[in-house]
Amino acid sequence: MEIPFAASSGPSLGVEWELEIVDPVTRQLVGAASPLLDALGSPQVKAELFACCVELVTGVCGSVAEAEADLAATLGLVQAEAEHAGHAVMCSGTHPITDWADQQITADERYERLVEQMRWPARRLQIFGVHVHVGVRSAEKAIPIVNALTAYMPHLLALSASSPYWMGTDTGLASARSKIFEGLPTAGVPHRLAAWADFETYMETLLTARTISSIKEVWWDIRPHPDFGTVELRMCDGLPTLFEVGTIAALAQSLVQRLDTQLDDGYGLPAPPEWVVRENKWRAARHGIDCEVIVDERGTTRPLREHLLELIDDLTPIARRLGCVQQLHRVDDLLKVGPSYQRQRAVAAAAGGSLDAVVDGLLAEMRTGRPA
């Protein structure tokens, strides 16, 4: 089976940002996506699995600043229309209090088929994320870049972790969303493949076996996207602010550009063993930015916070050439204020454990565009 790859000419950027529609009085999710989408009529605002969610999608952008401006313009339209209808929007990996069983599935054949096929694992996917696409110049580069990027999954997951609560309960995790999503049989850590031909064979096998009906139904944390000519990074929790979305986009674009350039220079890209990838992802999901990650096959560990700061220093020259050094260096600010899972728990503690206060805090951060 041949899968054409629409190669990008450079490290183009696309961002998808899933937003929750909330009743500001009850703080519960509201299945109001359909009238909102009808009112907006924008191709950059799309439906998702649950009727309480809309997805903001950028065009093909050349820089992080362009992607931020694109998202800001669309977000303004969504916020205004939601407010007009008596609702508000926010973003987090999971909603702190709403029960997934109370939410409606979007009336769409694709989503209805998914729920019918997967049942409970799909029905409970009341989760929200940010996906970043970065352009890659050939199909032959896509697979080694995906493999190499698995080393940085804990960095991106921990920095974006925003799902400590699930249906009113503190899960003890930084990212409950990542564990919920892994319930789907074709989600989670990407399979280790050697070349594009192996990717084509793998997808043909899944299609022939009727495990999937489209290659888009392989929801790996990192995957090639043949139609867009990108590598798509999907491990991030939903980010509450545009400030954080831009930061993650800068980190993703800089990482992919470095790996792409190393391939041009004739280097083989290193990739950690799969057991290390899975263990590091778990550590980031459990402990967030305060975890220690495994850095070699002997089990040597280092604090992720320290490792991340070194990575930012290493990527700075690349980010400067891409024009996103300012956004990349916001990582320092996020480490000082804390990723969202830490901020949410701090709000709850200050409010005597109230998760309504957590929702209010997330709504406020979305309005200001900056973490508080």
Side-chain angles (χ1 to χ4, degrees), residues 155-178:
H155 305 69
L156 289 152
L157 178 57
L159 202 59
S160 67
S162 63
S163 51
Y165 300 109
W166 179 245
M167 296 193 304
T169 299
D170 191 328
T171 64
L173 307 181
S175 172
R177 169 194 164 273
S178 62

Side-chain angles (χ1 to χ4, degrees), residues 241-365:
T241 67
L242 185 57
F243 182 95
E244 291 164 283
V245 174
T247 305
I248 289 293
L251 180 53
Q253 188 184 35
S254 299
L255 278 169
V256 173
Q257 175 64 5
R258 179 171 73 171
L259 297 171
D260 196 307
T261 301
Q262 287 173 340
L263 287 172
D264 284 341
D265 292 340
Y267 293 103
L269 300 183
E274 287 192 60
W275 76 265
V276 172
V277 174
R278 294 182 185 279
E279 176 64 17
N280 280 343
K281 181 187 177 184
W282 160 245
R283 291 176 178 222
R286 169 64 180 90
H287 299 289
I289 204 66
D290 294 318
C291 76
E292 293 202 351
V293 289
I294 301 168
V295 295
D296 61 34
E297 296 183 41
R298 298 185 301 276
T300 307
T301 62
R302 290 188 61 194
L304 178 60
R305 185 184 297 266
E306 175 185 301
H307 206 249
L308 179 59
L309 289 172
E310 288 183 5
L311 177 63
I312 299 308
D313 285 342
D314 289 344
L315 292 174
T316 292
I318 294 168
R320 187 169 290 114
R321 290 195 293 273
L322 292 171
C324 64
V325 70
Q326 179 182 0
Q327 290 91 342
L328 182 69
H329 283 187
R330 290 178 190 162
V331 169
D332 292 330
D333 299 320
L334 289 179
L335 291 179
K336 290 172 185 174
V337 72
S340 179
Y341 74 92
Q342 292 183 339
R343 305 197 305 268
Q344 290 180 47
R345 286 193 171 120
V347 169
S354 169
L355 297 191
D356 283 355
V358 174
V359 175
D360 291 342
L362 289 164
L363 290 169
E365 286 192 337

Side-chain angles (χ1 to χ4, degrees), residues 19-324:
L19 303 184
E20 300 150 83
I21 307 172
V22 177
D23 182 325
V25 177
T26 67
R27 281 86 165 187
Q28 297 282 343
L29 292 172
V30 179
S34 182
L36 190 151
L37 291 167
D38 289 343
L40 290 171
S42 170
Q44 292 185 263
V45 188
K46 298 185 177 182
E48 269 294 332
L49 174 64
F50 280 93
C52 61
C53 177
V54 292
E55 182 182 57
L56 275 55
V57 181
T58 69
V60 179
C61 300
S63 67
V64 174
E66 185 182 346
E68 286 181 322
D70 189 320
L71 287 171
T74 308
L75 176 61
L77 296 174
V78 171
Q79 287 175 312
E81 187 57 42
E83 183 177 350
H84 178 73
H87 308 313
V89 293
M90 70 179 213
C91 185
S92 53
T94 56
H95 190 275
I97 56 177
T98 297
D99 188 331
W100 58 264
D102 297 332
Q103 295 304 303
Q104 300 171 336
I105 298 296
T106 298
D108 178 271
E109 182 181 351
R110 174 191 170 202
Y111 296 136
E112 291 167 355
R113 185 176 66 250
L114 172 65
V115 172
E116 176 60 30
Q117 180 181 5
M118 301 293 180
R119 307 305 293 179
W120 180 74
R123 183 66 180 86
R124 68 176 184 147
L125 286 178
Q126 185 181 274
I127 56 176
F128 312 92
V130 168
H131 307 152
V132 181
H133 293 260
V134 184
V136 173
R137 286 186 278 270
S138 72
E140 289 69 28
K141 288 183 172 183
I143 296 302
I145 287 176
V146 166
N147 293 340
L149 283 171
T150 60
Y152 306 103
M153 283 175 53
H155 305 69
L156 289 152
L157 178 57
L159 202 59
S160 67
S162 63
S163 51
Y165 300 109
W166 179 245
M167 296 193 304
T169 299
D170 191 328
T171 64
L173 307 181
S175 172
R177 169 194 164 273
S178 62
K179 307 313 293 180
I180 295 164
F181 199 34
E182 285 176 356
L184 295 182
T186 57
V189 173
H191 290 309
R192 185 64 53 81
L193 303 171
W196 187 254
D198 295 334
F199 178 76
E200 292 174 323
T201 300
Y202 176 74
M203 291 300 172
E204 182 177 16
T205 301
L206 293 183
L207 289 165
T208 301
R210 295 189 297 278
T211 298
I212 60 174
S213 58
S214 163
I215 66 173
K216 295 178 182 178
E217 293 174 6
V218 174
W219 297 291
W220 290 339
D221 294 324
I222 310 169
R223 67 180 184 182
H225 198 299
D227 291 347
F228 294 165
T230 64
V231 166
E232 181 184 6
L233 294 91
R234 301 172 45 85
M235 78 289 293
C236 292
D237 274 7
L239 291 158
T241 67
L242 185 57
F243 182 95
E244 291 164 283
V245 174
T247 305
I248 289 293
L251 180 53
Q253 188 184 35
S254 299
L255 278 169
V256 173
Q257 175 64 5
R258 179 171 73 171
L259 297 171
D260 196 307
T261 301
Q262 287 173 340
L263 287 172
D264 284 341
D265 292 340
Y267 293 103
L269 300 183
E274 287 192 60
W275 76 265
V276 172
V277 174
R278 294 182 185 279
E279 176 64 17
N280 280 343
K281 181 187 177 184
W282 160 245
R283 291 176 178 222
R286 169 64 180 90
H287 299 289
I289 204 66
D290 294 318
C291 76
E292 293 202 351
V293 289
I294 301 168
V295 295
D296 61 34
E297 296 183 41
R298 298 185 301 276
T300 307
T301 62
R302 290 188 61 194
L304 178 60
R305 185 184 297 266
E306 175 185 301
H307 206 249
L308 179 59
L309 289 172
E310 288 183 5
L311 177 63
I312 299 308
D313 285 342
D314 289 344
L315 292 174
T316 292
I318 294 168
R320 187 169 290 114
R321 290 195 293 273
L322 292 171
C324 64

